[in-house]
Amino acid sequence: MKAKTAKVMEIPEEEKRLDKQLCFAVYATAHAFTRAYKPILDKVGLTYPQYLVMLVLWEKAELPVKTIGEQLDLDSGTLSPLLKRLEQNGLIKRTRDSRDERQVIVSLTPKGQAMRAEINTIMSSIGEAIGCTLEEMGAMREMLTRLRGNLNASL
Amino acid sequence: MKAKTAKVMEIPEEEKRLDKQLCFAVYATAHAFTRAYKPILDKVGLTYPQYLVMLVLWEKAELPVKTIGEQLDLDSGTLSPLLKRLEQNGLIKRTRDSRDERQVIVSLTPKGQAMRAEINTIMSSIGEAIGCTLEEMGAMREMLTRLRGNLNASL
DNA sequence: CAAAATTCACTTGCGTACAATTTAATTGCG
DNA sequence: CGCAATTAAATTGTACGCAAGTGAATTTTG
């Protein structure tokens, strides 16, 4: 039975530069997105991760914490305090599921529902900042989604 | 004098879904990268952002904090404590620039230099996890870099 | 040249991320 | 049924990110 033969190839020096790293391109773009969203989301009092949670809830107004975590790829260690802040801001409500008391059901308050009206403004603003064609955006999104699948599969 | 006419277009419902958001594709892929790097970088005792700083220093062994921040798009609020940890781990040294006492010059220690030998292993491992062709990687990197430029320009 | 403005790094405070642990509830299995 | 394994959420501890503010050094300007 052969042990794991880690094929360690010699990488050309050129390829070792920071600006040649795909990981860094993704990392830095993620931060750029957060910064671009900030002035827009400040107006409605949301952080970017909180906005993502709201996006999930605007699709389905009532979900257990676990499902939200699956969709955003976040664990309860991140979501618990974040949801607590959304609750304090009056956007969501948290209730134990009577069918399974382990679960906490997150649901939108009227205020949280009403905020959905801001989607058009938010997405239009960010769309302008992105400055790509819809085709490019779609292509990038698909490539990234596949890449993410590969990375997750490698674990 | 007309005020800024924000063209707020009506966004189709379909486009409002989380999984149609380019920003989320980037955000989630960035996390996937961090997770994929973790088992690899744990072996050498680095976090992913610390690894990025080391990449910069492996290109040029002596740089002011400001330059590192410019290359990584991070401010001193993030770098100061991170560099302190790298220093505590014996990988870098920090000295005030005698020409300009405001600046702190970060330089690699012998231990930090020696760690450069791990690049091949690290990049080969992650390259396998990425599971894309070199062409795809290059295309994605270029698109993301342009996107990042657009987002930064919008501020 | 001296006061004002700027620059650089550090610190503080808040909000993620995530590993690891804890607590409570439910499931599975003998 | 009864107890061990599993599951869900919260908590704890560490490490980013970043805004805002501090303090020291340098540059700009009147």
Side-chain angles (χ1 to χ4, degrees):
Chain A
M1 189 93 72
K2 199 168 55 175
K4 181 170 49 183
T5 48
K7 275 184 303 194
V8 177
M9 319 202 200
E10 186 56 41
I11 314 270
E13 288 304 308
E14 177 71 9
E15 298 298 318
K16 296 179 183 172
R17 295 171 49 85
L18 175 73
D19 57 305
K20 290 298 177 73
Q21 305 304 308
L22 176 56
C23 62
F24 176 67
V26 174
Y27 168 89
T29 306
H31 293 162
F33 256 123
T34 301
R35 286 194 287 263
Y37 267 109
K38 181 150 202 315
I40 302 168
L41 293 178
D42 274 352
K43 294 188 189 122
V44 293
L46 289 176
T47 65
Y48 177 63
Q50 288 168 8
Y51 169 65
L52 293 179
V53 169
M54 294 305 285
L55 273 186
V56 170
L57 289 170
W58 286 330
E59 278 183 56
K60 195 163 186 319
E62 224 180 271
L63 288 171
V65 173
K66 181 178 168 46
T67 306
I68 298 174
E70 284 165 358
Q71 294 198 33
L72 297 180
D73 227 327
L74 294 174
D75 70 3
S76 72
T78 300
L79 286 176
S80 284
L82 187 158
L83 293 171
K84 194 177 295 179
R85 283 184 277 272
L86 285 180
E87 190 171 39
Q88 279 163 359
N89 294 343
L91 299 172
I92 64 163
K93 185 164 46 85
R94 288 195 289 177
T95 42
R96 289 267 160 199
D97 186 346
S98 58
R99 292 175 186 284
D100 182 345
E101 292 280 347
R102 289 172 304 181
Q103 294 193 145
V104 168
I105 306 294
V106 180
S107 55
L108 288 173
T109 61
K111 182 177 169 189
Q113 276 290 0
M115 192 180 272
R116 192 179 197 280
E118 305 301 325
I119 283 192
N120 280 316
T121 308
I122 295 169
M123 291 193 178
S124 296
S125 304
I126 206 71
E128 208 168 318
I130 289 173
C132 292
T133 66
L134 286 175
E135 293 74 38
E136 285 174 310
M137 285 178 57
M140 235 185 292
R141 193 165 49 68
E142 273 180 36
M143 283 198 269
L144 286 166
T145 303
R146 196 156 56 75
L147 171 56
R148 174 153 75 103
N150 291 347
L151 290 171
N152 286 336
S154 78
L155 298 182
Chain B
M1 190 91 73
K2 198 167 55 173
K4 183 171 47 183
T5 49
K7 273 185 305 194
V8 178
M9 320 202 198
E10 187 56 42
I11 313 269
E13 288 305 306
E14 176 71 9
E15 299 297 319
K16 295 179 183 173
R17 296 172 48 86
L18 175 73
D19 58 304
K20 289 297 180 72
Q21 305 304 307
L22 176 57
C23 62
F24 176 67
V26 174
Y27 168 89
T29 307
H31 292 163
F33 257 123
T34 301
R35 286 194 286 263
Y37 267 109
K38 182 149 203 316
I40 302 168
L41 293 178
D42 275 351
K43 294 187 189 122
V44 293
L46 289 175
T47 65
Y48 176 65
Q50 288 168 9
Y51 169 66
L52 293 180
V53 169
M54 295 305 286
L55 272 186
V56 170
L57 290 170
W58 287 330
E59 277 183 57
K60 194 160 184 323
E62 223 180 272
L63 287 171
V65 173
K66 182 178 167 44
T67 307
I68 297 175
E70 283 165 358
Q71 293 198 33
L72 297 180
D73 227 327
L74 294 175
D75 71 2
S76 71
T78 301
L79 285 176
S80 284
L82 187 158
L83 293 171
K84 194 178 295 178
R85 282 184 280 272
L86 285 180
E87 190 172 39
Q88 280 164 359
N89 295 343
L91 299 172
I92 65 165
K93 186 164 46 84
R94 287 195 290 177
T95 42
R96 288 266 159 200
D97 185 346
S98 57
R99 292 174 185 284
D100 183 345
E101 292 280 347
R102 288 172 306 182
Q103 293 193 151
V104 168
I105 307 294
V106 180
S107 55
L108 287 173
T109 60
K111 183 178 169 190
Q113 276 289 1
M115 193 180 272
R116 191 179 198 281
E118 305 299 326
I119 284 191
N120 279 317
T121 308
I122 295 169
M123 290 193 178
S124 295
S125 303
I126 207 72
E128 208 169 318
I130 289 173
C132 293
T133 66
L134 287 174
E135 292 74 38
E136 284 174 311
M137 285 177 58
M140 233 186 292
R141 193 166 48 69
E142 273 179 36
M143 282 199 270
L144 286 166
T145 303
R146 197 156 58 75
L147 171 55
R148 174 155 74 104
N150 292 347
L151 290 171
N152 286 336
S154 78
L155 298 181

